[in-house]
Amino acid sequence: MIQVGYRQILFMKNYRDRIRINPNIRSGKPCIANTRITVSDVFDYLGGGMSVEEVLDDFPDLTFADIQACFAFAADLDRRLTVVPYEVTV
């Protein structure tokens, strides 16, 4: 099992070193730097039941820090999400 320390979590708040958006790679989807693996690919595998260790075994180009960066990217995206309340009138 992979242990995560407090310092590593703080470090990954700066995910921009690992997640890149390039319109010429995977249609501009956020990808892990120097790969064609998208953030959504990582979450699809994890959401499908794979463990972090299994993802790392299947994709030797990925590191644990890359997966942490995917989570940091998603958390930042969620913080920036604006929801406009829908008002129902009767």
Coordinates of all heavy atoms in Angstrom, one line a residue:
M1 N 0.8 -1.2 0.0 CA 0.0 0.0 0.0 C 0.9 1.2 0.0 O 1.9 1.3 0.6 CB -0.9 0.0 1.2 CG -1.8 1.2 1.3 SD -3.0 1.1 2.6 CE -4.4 0.7 1.6
I2 N 0.4 2.3 -0.7 CA 1.2 3.5 -0.8 C 0.8 4.4 0.3 O -0.3 4.7 0.6 CB 1.0 4.2 -2.2 CG1 1.5 3.2 -3.3 CG2 1.7 5.5 -2.3 CD1 1.2 3.7 -4.7
Q3 N 1.8 4.9 1.0 CA 1.6 5.9 2.1 C 1.8 7.3 1.6 O 2.7 7.6 0.8 CB 2.6 5.6 3.2 CG 2.5 4.2 3.8 CD 1.6 4.1 4.9 OE1 1.4 5.1 5.7 NE2 1.0 3.0 5.1
V4 N 1.0 8.2 2.0 CA 1.1 9.6 1.5 C 1.3 10.5 2.7 O 0.5 10.4 3.7 CB -0.2 10.1 0.8 CG1 -0.1 11.5 0.3 CG2 -0.5 9.2 -0.4
G5 N 2.3 11.3 2.7 CA 2.6 12.2 3.8 C 2.0 13.6 3.5 O 1.7 13.9 2.4
Y6 N 1.9 14.3 4.6 CA 1.3 15.7 4.6 C 2.1 16.6 3.6 O 1.5 17.3 2.8 CB 1.3 16.3 5.9 CG 0.7 17.7 6.0 CD1 -0.6 17.9 5.8 CD2 1.5 18.8 6.3 CE1 -1.2 19.1 5.9 CE2 1.0 20.0 6.4 CZ -0.4 20.2 6.1 OH -0.9 21.4 6.2
R7 N 3.4 16.5 3.5 CA 4.2 17.3 2.6 C 3.9 16.9 1.2 O 3.9 17.8 0.3 CB 5.7 17.1 2.9 CG 6.1 17.8 4.2 CD 7.6 17.6 4.4 NE 7.9 18.2 5.7 CZ 9.1 18.6 6.0 NH1 10.1 18.5 5.1 NH2 9.4 19.1 7.2
Q8 N 3.7 15.7 0.9 CA 3.4 15.3 -0.5 C 2.1 15.9 -0.9 O 2.0 16.3 -2.1 CB 3.4 13.8 -0.6 CG 4.8 13.1 -0.5 CD 4.7 11.6 -0.5 OE1 3.9 11.1 0.2 NE2 5.6 11.0 -1.3
I9 N 1.1 15.9 -0.1 CA -0.2 16.4 -0.4 C -0.1 17.9 -0.7 O -0.6 18.4 -1.7 CB -1.2 16.1 0.7 CG1 -1.5 14.7 0.8 CG2 -2.5 16.9 0.5 CD1 -2.3 14.2 1.9
L10 N 0.7 18.6 0.1 CA 0.9 20.1 -0.1 C 1.6 20.3 -1.4 O 1.3 21.2 -2.2 CB 1.6 20.7 1.1 CG 0.9 20.8 2.4 CD1 1.8 21.4 3.4 CD2 -0.3 21.7 2.2
F11 N 2.6 19.5 -1.7 CA 3.4 19.6 -2.9 C 2.5 19.5 -4.2 O 2.7 20.2 -5.1 CB 4.5 18.5 -3.0 CG 5.2 18.4 -4.3 CD1 6.1 19.4 -4.6 CD2 4.9 17.4 -5.1 CE1 6.8 19.3 -5.9 CE2 5.6 17.3 -6.4 CZ 6.5 18.3 -6.7
M12 N 1.5 18.5 -4.1 CA 0.7 18.3 -5.3 C -0.3 19.3 -5.6 O -1.0 19.3 -6.5 CB 0.1 16.9 -5.2 CG 1.1 15.8 -5.5 SD 2.3 16.1 -6.8 CE 1.2 16.3 -8.2
K13 N -0.4 20.3 -4.7 CA -1.4 21.4 -5.0 C -0.9 22.2 -6.2 O -1.7 22.8 -6.9 CB -1.5 22.4 -3.8 CG -2.3 21.8 -2.7 CD -2.6 22.8 -1.6 CE -3.5 22.1 -0.6 NZ -4.4 23.0 0.1
N14 N 0.4 22.1 -6.5 CA 0.9 22.6 -7.8 C 1.0 21.6 -8.8 O 2.1 21.1 -9.2 CB 2.3 23.3 -7.5 CG 2.8 24.1 -8.7 OD1 2.0 24.3 -9.7 ND2 4.0 24.5 -8.7
Y15 N -0.1 21.1 -9.3 CA -0.2 20.1 -10.3 C 0.2 20.5 -11.7 O 0.4 19.7 -12.6 CB -1.7 19.5 -10.4 CG -2.7 20.6 -10.8 CD1 -2.9 20.9 -12.1 CD2 -3.4 21.3 -9.8 CE1 -3.8 21.9 -12.5 CE2 -4.3 22.2 -10.2 CZ -4.5 22.5 -11.5 OH -5.4 23.5 -11.9
R16 N 0.3 21.8 -11.9 CA 0.6 22.3 -13.2 C 1.9 21.9 -13.8 O 2.1 22.0 -15.0 CB 0.5 23.9 -13.2 CG -0.9 24.3 -13.0 CD -1.0 25.9 -12.8 NE -2.3 26.3 -12.5 CZ -2.9 26.3 -11.3 NH1 -2.2 25.9 -10.3 NH2 -4.1 26.7 -11.2
D17 N 2.8 21.4 -13.0 CA 4.0 20.8 -13.5 C 3.8 19.5 -14.2 O 4.6 19.0 -15.0 CB 5.1 20.7 -12.4 CG 5.5 22.0 -11.8 OD1 5.4 23.0 -12.5 OD2 5.9 22.0 -10.6
R18 N 2.7 18.8 -13.8 CA 2.5 17.5 -14.3 C 1.3 17.3 -15.3 O 1.2 16.4 -16.0 CB 2.3 16.5 -13.1 CG 3.5 16.4 -12.3 CD 3.4 15.3 -11.3 NE 4.6 15.1 -10.5 CZ 5.6 14.3 -10.9 NH1 5.5 13.6 -11.9 NH2 6.6 14.2 -10.1
I19 N 0.4 18.3 -15.2 CA -0.8 18.2 -16.1 C -0.7 19.3 -17.1 O -0.5 20.4 -16.8 CB -2.1 18.4 -15.3 CG1 -2.2 17.4 -14.1 CG2 -3.4 18.3 -16.2 CD1 -2.3 15.9 -14.5
R20 N -0.8 18.9 -18.4 CA -0.7 19.8 -19.5 C -1.9 19.8 -20.4 O -2.5 18.7 -20.6 CB 0.5 19.5 -20.4 CG 1.8 19.5 -19.6 CD 2.3 20.9 -19.3 NE 3.3 21.0 -18.3 CZ 4.6 20.6 -18.5 NH1 5.0 20.1 -19.6 NH2 5.4 20.7 -17.5
I21 N -2.3 20.9 -21.0 CA -3.4 20.9 -21.9 C -2.8 21.5 -23.2 O -2.3 22.6 -23.3 CB -4.6 21.8 -21.4 CG1 -5.1 21.2 -20.2 CG2 -5.6 22.0 -22.5 CD1 -6.2 22.1 -19.5
N22 N -2.8 20.7 -24.2 CA -2.3 21.0 -25.5 C -3.3 20.6 -26.6 O -3.7 19.5 -26.7 CB -1.0 20.2 -25.8 CG -0.3 20.6 -27.1 OD1 -1.0 21.0 -28.1 ND2 1.0 20.3 -27.2
P23 N -3.8 21.6 -27.4 CA -4.9 21.3 -28.3 C -4.5 20.3 -29.4 O -5.3 19.7 -30.0 CB -5.2 22.7 -29.0 CG -4.1 23.6 -28.6 CD -3.4 23.0 -27.4
N24 N -3.2 20.0 -29.5 CA -2.7 19.0 -30.5 C -2.6 17.6 -29.9 O -2.2 16.7 -30.7 CB -1.4 19.5 -31.1 CG -1.5 20.8 -31.8 OD1 -2.5 21.0 -32.6 ND2 -0.5 21.7 -31.6
I25 N -2.8 17.5 -28.6 CA -2.7 16.2 -28.0 C -4.0 15.8 -27.4 O -4.5 16.5 -26.6 CB -1.6 16.2 -26.9 CG1 -0.2 16.5 -27.6 CG2 -1.5 14.8 -26.2 CD1 0.9 16.7 -26.6
R26 N -4.5 14.7 -27.8 CA -5.8 14.1 -27.3 C -6.9 15.2 -27.3 O -7.7 15.3 -26.4 CB -5.7 13.6 -25.9 CG -4.7 12.4 -25.7 CD -5.2 11.1 -26.4 NE -6.5 10.6 -25.9 CZ -6.7 9.8 -24.8 NH1 -5.6 9.3 -24.2 NH2 -7.9 9.4 -24.5
S27 N -7.0 16.0 -28.4 CA -8.0 17.0 -28.6 C -8.1 18.0 -27.5 O -9.1 18.6 -27.2 CB -9.4 16.3 -28.8 OG -9.3 15.4 -29.9
G28 N -6.9 18.3 -26.9 CA -6.9 19.3 -25.8 C -7.3 18.9 -24.5 O -7.5 19.7 -23.6
K29 N -7.6 17.6 -24.3 CA -7.9 17.1 -23.0 C -6.7 17.2 -22.0 O -5.6 17.1 -22.5 CB -8.4 15.6 -23.0 CG -9.7 15.4 -23.7 CD -10.1 14.0 -23.7 CE -11.4 13.8 -24.5 NZ -11.8 12.4 -24.5
P30 N -6.9 17.5 -20.8 CA -5.8 17.5 -19.8 C -5.1 16.2 -19.8 O -5.7 15.1 -19.5 CB -6.5 17.8 -18.5 CG -7.8 18.3 -18.8 CD -8.2 17.7 -20.1
C31 N -3.8 16.2 -20.0 CA -2.9 15.0 -20.1 C -1.8 15.1 -19.1 O -1.3 16.2 -18.7 CB -2.3 14.8 -21.4 SG -3.5 14.3 -22.7
I32 N -1.3 14.0 -18.6 CA -0.1 13.9 -17.8 C 1.1 14.2 -18.7 O 1.2 13.7 -19.8 CB 0.0 12.5 -17.2 CG1 -1.2 12.3 -16.2 CG2 1.3 12.4 -16.4 CD1 -1.4 10.9 -15.8
A33 N 1.9 15.1 -18.3 CA 3.0 15.6 -19.1 C 3.9 14.5 -19.6 O 4.1 13.5 -19.0 CB 3.9 16.5 -18.2
N34 N 4.2 14.7 -20.9 CA 5.1 13.8 -21.7 C 4.4 12.4 -21.9 O 5.1 11.4 -22.1 CB 6.4 13.6 -21.0 CG 7.2 14.9 -20.8 OD1 7.2 15.7 -21.7 ND2 7.7 15.1 -19.6
T35 N 3.1 12.4 -21.8 CA 2.3 11.2 -22.1 C 1.1 11.6 -22.9 O 0.8 12.8 -23.0 CB 1.9 10.4 -20.9 OG1 0.8 11.1 -20.3 CG2 3.0 10.2 -19.9
R36 N 0.4 10.6 -23.4 CA -0.9 10.8 -24.0 C -2.0 10.3 -23.1 O -3.2 10.1 -23.5 CB -1.0 10.2 -25.4 CG 0.0 10.8 -26.4 CD 0.0 10.2 -27.7 NE -1.4 10.2 -28.4 CZ -1.9 11.3 -29.0 NH1 -1.1 12.4 -29.1 NH2 -3.1 11.3 -29.5
I37 N -1.7 10.1 -21.8 CA -2.7 9.6 -20.9 C -3.4 10.8 -20.2 O -2.8 11.7 -19.7 CB -2.0 8.8 -19.8 CG1 -1.2 7.6 -20.4 CG2 -3.0 8.3 -18.7 CD1 -0.3 6.9 -19.4
T38 N -4.7 10.8 -20.4 CA -5.5 11.9 -19.9 C -5.9 11.7 -18.4 O -5.9 10.6 -17.9 CB -6.8 12.1 -20.7 OG1 -7.7 11.0 -20.5 CG2 -6.6 12.3 -22.2
V39 N -6.2 12.8 -17.8 CA -6.7 12.8 -16.4 C -7.9 11.9 -16.3 O -8.1 11.1 -15.4 CB -7.0 14.2 -15.9 CG1 -7.7 14.2 -14.5 CG2 -5.7 15.0 -15.8
S40 N -8.8 12.0 -17.3 CA -10.0 11.2 -17.3 C -9.7 9.7 -17.5 O -10.4 8.9 -17.0 CB -11.0 11.7 -18.4 OG -10.5 11.6 -19.7
D41 N -8.7 9.4 -18.3 CA -8.3 8.0 -18.4 C -7.9 7.4 -17.0 O -8.4 6.3 -16.6 CB -7.0 7.8 -19.3 CG -7.3 8.1 -20.7 OD1 -8.4 8.0 -21.2 OD2 -6.3 8.4 -21.4
V42 N -7.1 8.2 -16.2 CA -6.8 7.7 -14.9 C -8.0 7.5 -14.0 O -8.1 6.5 -13.4 CB -5.8 8.7 -14.2 CG1 -5.5 8.4 -12.8 CG2 -4.5 8.8 -15.0
F43 N -8.9 8.5 -14.1 CA -10.1 8.3 -13.2 C -11.0 7.2 -13.7 O -11.7 6.6 -12.9 CB -10.9 9.6 -13.1 CG -10.2 10.6 -12.2 CD1 -9.9 11.9 -12.7 CD2 -9.8 10.3 -11.0 CE1 -9.3 12.8 -11.8 CE2 -9.1 11.2 -10.1 CZ -8.9 12.5 -10.6
D44 N -11.1 7.0 -15.0 CA -11.8 5.9 -15.6 C -11.3 4.5 -15.0 O -12.1 3.7 -14.6 CB -11.8 5.8 -17.1 CG -12.7 6.9 -17.7 OD1 -13.6 7.5 -17.0 OD2 -12.5 7.2 -18.9
Y45 N -10.0 4.4 -15.0 CA -9.4 3.1 -14.5 C -9.7 3.0 -13.0 O -10.1 1.9 -12.5 CB -7.9 3.1 -14.7 CG -7.6 3.0 -16.2 CD1 -6.8 3.9 -16.8 CD2 -8.1 1.9 -17.0 CE1 -6.5 3.8 -18.2 CE2 -7.8 1.8 -18.3 CZ -7.0 2.8 -18.9 OH -6.7 2.7 -20.3
L46 N -9.5 4.1 -12.2 CA -9.7 4.0 -10.8 C -11.2 3.8 -10.5 O -11.6 3.0 -9.6 CB -9.2 5.3 -10.1 CG -7.7 5.5 -10.1 CD1 -7.3 6.9 -9.6 CD2 -7.0 4.4 -9.4
G47 N -12.0 4.5 -11.2 CA -13.5 4.4 -11.0 C -14.0 3.0 -11.4 O -15.0 2.5 -11.0
G48 N -13.3 2.4 -12.3 CA -13.7 1.0 -12.8 C -13.2 -0.1 -11.8 O -13.5 -1.3 -12.1
G49 N -12.6 0.3 -10.7 CA -12.2 -0.7 -9.7 C -10.7 -1.0 -9.6 O -10.3 -1.7 -8.7
M50 N -9.9 -0.4 -10.5 CA -8.5 -0.7 -10.4 C -7.9 0.1 -9.2 O -8.4 1.2 -8.9 CB -7.7 -0.2 -11.6 CG -8.0 -1.1 -12.8 SD -7.2 -0.5 -14.3 CE -5.5 -1.0 -14.0
S51 N -6.9 -0.5 -8.5 CA -6.3 0.3 -7.4 C -5.2 1.1 -8.0 O -4.8 1.0 -9.2 CB -5.6 -0.7 -6.5 OG -4.6 -1.4 -7.1
V52 N -4.7 2.1 -7.3 CA -3.6 2.9 -7.7 C -2.4 2.1 -8.1 O -1.8 2.3 -9.2 CB -3.2 3.9 -6.6 CG1 -1.9 4.7 -7.0 CG2 -4.3 4.9 -6.4
E53 N -2.1 1.0 -7.3 CA -1.0 0.2 -7.6 C -1.2 -0.6 -9.0 O -0.2 -0.7 -9.8 CB -0.8 -0.9 -6.5 CG -0.3 -0.3 -5.2 CD -1.4 0.3 -4.3 OE1 -2.6 0.2 -4.7 OE2 -1.1 0.8 -3.2
E54 N -2.4 -1.0 -9.3 CA -2.7 -1.7 -10.5 C -2.5 -0.7 -11.7 O -2.0 -1.1 -12.8 CB -4.1 -2.2 -10.5 CG -4.3 -3.4 -9.6 CD -5.7 -3.9 -9.5 OE1 -6.6 -3.0 -9.5 OE2 -5.9 -5.1 -9.3
V55 N -3.0 0.5 -11.6 CA -2.8 1.5 -12.6 C -1.3 1.7 -12.9 O -0.9 1.8 -14.0 CB -3.5 2.8 -12.3 CG1 -3.2 3.9 -13.3 CG2 -5.0 2.6 -12.2
L56 N -0.5 1.9 -11.8 CA 0.9 2.1 -12.0 C 1.6 0.9 -12.6 O 2.5 1.1 -13.4 CB 1.5 2.4 -10.6 CG 1.1 3.8 -10.0 CD1 1.7 3.9 -8.6 CD2 1.5 4.9 -10.9
D57 N 1.1 -0.3 -12.3 CA 1.7 -1.5 -12.9 C 1.4 -1.6 -14.4 O 2.2 -2.0 -15.2 CB 1.2 -2.8 -12.2 CG 1.8 -3.0 -10.8 OD1 2.8 -2.4 -10.5 OD2 1.2 -3.8 -10.1
D58 N 0.2 -1.2 -14.8 CA -0.3 -1.3 -16.2 C 0.3 -0.1 -17.0 O 0.4 -0.3 -18.2 CB -1.8 -1.2 -16.3 CG -2.4 -2.5 -15.9 OD1 -1.7 -3.5 -15.6 OD2 -3.7 -2.6 -16.0
F59 N 0.7 1.0 -16.4 CA 1.2 2.1 -17.1 C 2.6 2.5 -16.5 O 2.6 3.4 -15.7 CB 0.2 3.3 -17.1 CG -1.1 2.9 -17.8 CD1 -2.1 2.5 -17.0 CD2 -1.2 3.1 -19.1 CE1 -3.3 2.1 -17.7 CE2 -2.4 2.7 -19.8 CZ -3.5 2.3 -19.0
P60 N 3.6 1.9 -16.9 CA 4.9 2.2 -16.3 C 5.4 3.6 -16.5 O 6.3 4.0 -15.7 CB 5.9 1.2 -17.0 CG 5.1 0.6 -18.1 CD 3.7 0.9 -17.9
D61 N 4.9 4.4 -17.4 CA 5.2 5.8 -17.6 C 4.7 6.6 -16.5 O 5.1 7.8 -16.3 CB 4.8 6.3 -18.9 CG 5.5 5.7 -20.1 OD1 6.6 5.1 -19.9 OD2 5.0 5.7 -21.2
L62 N 3.7 6.2 -15.8 CA 3.0 7.0 -14.7 C 3.8 6.8 -13.4 O 4.3 5.7 -13.1 CB 1.6 6.5 -14.5 CG 0.6 6.9 -15.6 CD1 -0.8 6.5 -15.2 CD2 0.6 8.3 -16.0
T63 N 3.7 7.8 -12.6 CA 4.2 7.7 -11.2 C 3.1 8.0 -10.2 O 2.0 8.5 -10.6 CB 5.3 8.8 -11.0 OG1 4.8 10.1 -11.1 CG2 6.5 8.6 -12.0
F64 N 3.3 7.7 -9.0 CA 2.3 8.0 -8.0 C 2.1 9.5 -7.9 O 0.9 10.0 -7.8 CB 2.8 7.5 -6.6 CG 1.8 7.8 -5.5 CD1 0.6 7.1 -5.5 CD2 2.1 8.7 -4.5 CE1 -0.3 7.4 -4.5 CE2 1.2 8.9 -3.5 CZ 0.0 8.3 -3.5
A65 N 3.1 10.3 -8.1 CA 2.9 11.8 -8.2 C 2.0 12.2 -9.3 O 1.3 13.2 -9.2 CB 4.3 12.5 -8.2
D66 N 2.1 11.5 -10.5 CA 1.2 11.8 -11.6 C -0.3 11.6 -11.2 O -1.2 12.4 -11.5 CB 1.5 11.0 -12.8 CG 2.8 11.3 -13.4 OD1 3.3 12.4 -13.3 OD2 3.5 10.4 -14.0
I67 N -0.5 10.5 -10.5 CA -1.9 10.2 -10.0 C -2.4 11.2 -9.0 O -3.5 11.7 -9.0 CB -2.0 8.8 -9.5 CG1 -1.8 7.8 -10.7 CG2 -3.4 8.5 -8.9 CD1 -1.8 6.4 -10.4
Q68 N -1.5 11.6 -8.1 CA -1.8 12.7 -7.2 C -2.1 14.0 -7.9 O -3.1 14.7 -7.5 CB -0.6 13.0 -6.2 CG -0.5 12.0 -5.1 CD 0.7 12.4 -4.2 OE1 1.8 12.6 -4.7 NE2 0.4 12.5 -2.9
A69 N -1.4 14.3 -8.9 CA -1.6 15.5 -9.7 C -3.0 15.4 -10.4 O -3.7 16.5 -10.5 CB -0.6 15.7 -10.8
C70 N -3.5 14.3 -10.8 CA -4.8 14.1 -11.4 C -5.9 14.5 -10.3 O -6.8 15.2 -10.6 CB -5.0 12.7 -11.9 SG -4.1 12.3 -13.3
F71 N -5.7 14.0 -9.1 CA -6.6 14.4 -8.0 C -6.6 15.9 -7.7 O -7.6 16.5 -7.5 CB -6.3 13.6 -6.8 CG -6.9 12.2 -6.8 CD1 -6.0 11.1 -7.1 CD2 -8.2 11.9 -6.7 CE1 -6.5 9.8 -7.1 CE2 -8.8 10.6 -6.8 CZ -7.9 9.6 -7.0
A72 N -5.4 16.4 -7.7 CA -5.3 17.9 -7.4 C -5.9 18.7 -8.5 O -6.6 19.7 -8.3 CB -3.8 18.2 -7.3
F73 N -5.7 18.3 -9.8 CA -6.3 18.9 -10.9 C -7.9 18.9 -10.8 O -8.5 19.9 -11.0 CB -5.9 18.3 -12.2 CG -6.6 18.8 -13.4 CD1 -6.1 20.0 -14.0 CD2 -7.7 18.2 -14.0 CE1 -6.7 20.5 -15.2 CE2 -8.3 18.7 -15.1 CZ -7.8 19.9 -15.7
A74 N -8.4 17.7 -10.5 CA -9.8 17.6 -10.4 C -10.4 18.4 -9.2 O -11.5 19.0 -9.3 CB -10.2 16.1 -10.2
A75 N -9.7 18.4 -8.1 CA -10.1 19.2 -7.0 C -10.1 20.7 -7.3 O -11.1 21.4 -7.0 CB -9.2 19.0 -5.8
D76 N -9.1 21.2 -8.0 CA -9.0 22.6 -8.4 C -10.1 22.9 -9.4 O -10.8 23.9 -9.3 CB -7.7 22.9 -9.0 CG -7.4 24.3 -9.2 OD1 -7.8 25.1 -8.3 OD2 -6.8 24.7 -10.3
L77 N -10.4 22.0 -10.3 CA -11.5 22.2 -11.3 C -12.8 22.3 -10.6 O -13.7 23.2 -10.9 CB -11.5 21.0 -12.3 CG -12.4 21.2 -13.5 CD1 -12.0 22.3 -14.4 CD2 -12.4 19.9 -14.3
D78 N -13.0 21.4 -9.6 CA -14.3 21.5 -8.8 C -14.4 22.8 -8.0 O -15.5 23.3 -7.9 CB -14.3 20.3 -7.9 CG -15.6 20.2 -7.1 OD1 -16.7 20.0 -7.8 OD2 -15.6 20.3 -5.9
R79 N -13.3 23.3 -7.5 CA -13.4 24.5 -6.7 C -13.8 25.7 -7.7 O -14.4 26.7 -7.2 CB -12.0 24.9 -6.1 CG -11.8 24.2 -4.7 CD -10.6 24.7 -4.0 NE -9.4 24.4 -4.7 CZ -8.7 23.2 -4.6 NH1 -9.2 22.3 -3.9 NH2 -7.6 23.0 -5.3
R80 N -13.4 25.6 -8.9 CA -13.6 26.7 -9.9 C -15.0 26.6 -10.5 O -15.5 27.5 -11.2 CB -12.6 26.7 -10.9 CG -11.2 27.0 -10.4 CD -10.1 26.8 -11.4 NE -8.8 26.9 -10.9 CZ -8.1 28.0 -10.9 NH1 -8.6 29.1 -11.4 NH2 -6.9 28.1 -10.4
L81 N -15.7 25.5 -10.3 CA -17.0 25.2 -11.0 C -18.0 26.2 -10.4 O -18.1 26.3 -9.2 CB -17.4 23.8 -10.7 CG -18.8 23.4 -11.3 CD1 -18.7 23.4 -12.8 CD2 -19.2 22.0 -10.8
T82 N -18.7 26.9 -11.3 CA -19.8 27.8 -10.8 C -21.1 27.2 -11.3 O -21.3 26.9 -12.4 CB -19.6 29.2 -11.5 OG1 -18.3 29.7 -11.2 CG2 -20.7 30.1 -11.0
V83 N -22.0 27.1 -10.3 CA -23.3 26.6 -10.6 C -24.3 27.7 -10.4 O -24.4 28.4 -9.4 CB -23.7 25.4 -9.6 CG1 -25.1 25.0 -9.9 CG2 -22.7 24.3 -9.8
V84 N -25.0 28.0 -11.5 CA -26.1 29.0 -11.4 C -27.3 28.3 -11.0 O -27.8 27.4 -11.6 CB -26.3 29.7 -12.8 CG1 -27.4 30.7 -12.8 CG2 -25.0 30.2 -13.3
P85 N -27.9 28.8 -9.8 CA -29.1 28.2 -9.3 C -30.3 28.4 -10.3 O -30.4 29.4 -10.9 CB -29.4 28.9 -8.0 CG -28.3 29.9 -7.8 CD -27.4 29.9 -9.0
Y86 N -31.0 27.3 -10.5 CA -32.2 27.3 -11.3 C -33.4 27.6 -10.5 O -33.7 26.9 -9.5 CB -32.3 26.0 -12.0 CG -33.5 25.9 -12.9 CD1 -33.6 26.6 -14.1 CD2 -34.7 25.1 -12.5 CE1 -34.7 26.5 -14.9 CE2 -35.8 25.1 -13.3 CZ -35.8 25.7 -14.5 OH -36.9 25.7 -15.4
E87 N -34.0 28.7 -10.8 CA -35.2 29.1 -10.0 C -36.5 28.6 -10.6 O -36.7 28.9 -11.8 CB -35.2 30.6 -9.9 CG -36.0 31.1 -8.7 CD -35.8 32.6 -8.5 OE1 -34.6 33.0 -8.4 OE2 -36.8 33.3 -8.6
V88 N -37.2 27.9 -9.9 CA -38.5 27.4 -10.3 C -39.6 28.4 -10.0 O -39.7 28.8 -8.8 CB -38.8 26.0 -9.7 CG1 -40.2 25.5 -10.2 CG2 -37.7 25.0 -10.1
T89 N -40.4 28.8 -10.9 CA -41.5 29.7 -10.6 C -42.8 29.0 -10.9 O -42.9 28.2 -11.8 CB -41.4 31.0 -11.6 OG1 -41.4 30.6 -12.9 CG2 -40.2 31.8 -11.3
V90 N -43.7 29.3 -10.0 CA -45.0 28.6 -10.1 C -46.1 29.6 -10.5 O -46.1 30.7 -10.2 CB -45.4 27.9 -8.8 CG1 -46.7 27.3 -8.9 CG2 -44.3 27.0 -8.4

